[in-house]
Structures are given as structure tokens and as C-alpha cells.
Amino acid sequence: MLNIKRFVVNMLQENCYVVSDETLECVIIDDGAQYQEERGAISHYIKENGLKPVHLLATHGHLDHNWGNLALYEEFGLKVEARGEDAFLIEHLGKQASEMFGFQLNEEEAPVGHYFADDETICFGSHALTILHTPGHTPGGCVYYCEAEKTAFTGDTLFRMSIGRTDFEGGSWQEMTESLHQLAKLPVDTLLYSGHGPQSTIADELRYNPYLR
């Protein structure tokens, strides 16, 4: 069984997830922790529960989902893993800070450990996450799906009753609609943990989300 701990972080209220199982291995998904107290809370949770972090995953390359990558690298030796189509974003977080938010990012760029190719799977503990490529918000946007637990981490592709923006650099409305069509095929009882806001299910989104109806 998956244990999922959500941390709401940074000025954009992004969801960072620490996902573990009975083996105590864990993955961290979208560590956007901006402030020291946020980074400290994530670190404390991992240590207090005796977890062993084995992967740092990004659903896409935007700064608000990757702000805490350097801190996790320095403390646990984790290097972020993401789709290669978002290399232009995830390798230049400082540029995003200045161009999108208007401030200087006063820390070095966190190293990238691996860019996923098609058909790769993330393994930790007794579980596996399938990487679903879901461009639209960004070219390398992806969803991490655990088939065994019917659980999906959707980043900024799909929110409760909404979807991610497509007007940022590399965004595409056409690709977003194709990605949503792919997600709509998941089992209706799939739990959805998005990059912002509360969790949902495929059933609820098919019923209430105007972009999936």
C-alpha cells in the first residue's frame, strides 16, 4: 500500500508528494519547496519515518515544481528525473525566476540525474510507476501512474475540475486535449493527485470537469 504525504509549498501553493510503501523506500514528486521551513518539513518527515529516498521525480520543468531540488540533492544525493523535452526548463530555473516571476534565484542550478525515454518505469520498494507522457502544459509534461494502486500524480496536466494552462512557452492546446483523452481512459476509480489543489478521481473528472466531458 502506498503512503502519500502532501506538502503544500511555495508562493504558488504547489503540491509536493513523498510517496512510500512498507519497504520504507520513497520517491519525492515535484519538490517545489521554496522556503527553508518547507524544505525542513520535508526532510524531517523523511527522517522521522525512517524513509529511504530513491528517486526525485518532476512532472514537468516549471520552477514552482522544482524549487527544492537543490536541497534534496545536497541532503540526500538525489538528482531530479524528468522527461527530456523539458530540459530547456529544468536546466534553467534561474532564467524562469527572472523572466516569469521577476526575481533572481540566488542558488546554483540543481543537477539533473536522468531524462526519461518512452516506456520507462520507475521502481521503488514493492511498487512501480508508469510514466505517461502528457504534453500540453509543457512539452515534457508527464503523469506518474501506479496501476497496482490506481493512483496517478498528474502535475499541472489535470486538476480537480480544471486543467493546466497552455499559454506558457512550449504549451499546446492541441497536445493538452490529446493528453486529457489519454488520462480519461484510466480506470474510473483512479485517485488523482495534482500539482495544485485537492485530490480527485477519474470518475469525478469525467462527470464534472468540462474539459473531459
Side-chain angles (χ1 to χ4, degrees), residues 1-182:
M1 180 177 179
L2 290 179
N3 300 305
I4 301 170
K5 174 67 174 179
R6 180 178 71 144
F7 295 87
V8 182
V9 297
N10 73 46
M11 60 187 182
L12 295 182
Q13 297 291 280
E14 183 264 336
N15 292 329
C16 168
Y17 299 100
V18 179
V19 185
S20 60
D21 66 14
E22 70 281 356
T23 71
L24 299 183
E25 286 194 346
C26 72
V27 299
I28 298 99
I29 300 175
D30 285 353
D31 185 8
Q34 174 185 6
Y35 304 109
Q36 285 303 123
E37 57 266 32
E38 296 170 345
R39 297 177 178 186
I42 293 170
S43 175
H44 177 73
Y45 173 80
I46 291 171
K47 292 178 178 179
E48 183 180 46
N49 289 279
L51 302 181
K52 178 184 177 182
V54 293
H55 291 286
L56 170 58
L57 308 176
T59 59
H60 63 289
H62 282 154
L63 173 63
D64 59 315
H65 291 251
N66 293 275
W67 223 319
N69 291 353
L70 182 62
L72 285 181
Y73 171 67
E74 291 177 340
E75 183 158 9
F76 299 107
L78 295 177
K79 296 181 181 180
V80 68
E81 303 168 56
R83 289 281 309 196
E85 296 89 345
D86 272 11
F88 75 103
L89 293 169
I90 208 164
E91 293 180 10
H92 302 284
L93 299 181
K95 180 181 178 183
Q96 287 189 60
S98 59
E99 293 184 354
M100 296 178 67
F101 300 101
F103 64 87
Q104 297 298 313
L105 191 63
N106 295 318
E107 58 185 27
E108 62 185 271
E109 299 283 356
V112 177
H114 179 64
Y115 287 120
F116 298 120
D118 291 336
D119 301 321
E120 285 194 62
T121 301
I122 300 296
C123 295
F124 71 101
S126 61
H127 287 82
L129 299 174
T130 301
I131 305 163
L132 306 178
H133 187 203
T134 55
H137 182 64
T138 66
C142 63
V143 167
Y144 298 105
Y145 173 56
C146 181
E147 182 178 7
E149 302 278 352
K150 294 184 180 178
T151 298
F153 299 90
T154 60
D156 285 6
T157 298
L158 179 60
F159 303 128
R160 181 172 174 81
M161 310 308 162
S162 189
I163 62 171
R165 292 173 59 171
T166 60
D167 58 336
F168 293 127
E169 182 181 6
S172 167
W173 173 250
Q174 180 178 346
E175 290 183 331
M176 175 64 83
T177 58
E178 294 170 355
S179 295
L180 294 173
H181 181 69
Q182 177 186 188

Side-chain angles (χ1 to χ4, degrees), residues 194-207:
S194 64
H196 303 267
Q199 70 185 65
S200 186
T201 65
I202 287 292
D204 281 351
E205 296 312 301
L206 289 172
R207 184 174 182 181

Side-chain angles (χ1 to χ4, degrees), residues 176-195:
M176 175 64 83
T177 58
E178 294 170 355
S179 295
L180 294 173
H181 181 69
Q182 177 186 188
L183 294 180
K185 296 179 181 179
L186 293 176
V188 294
D189 55 344
T190 299
L191 288 171
L192 305 176
Y193 292 87
S194 64

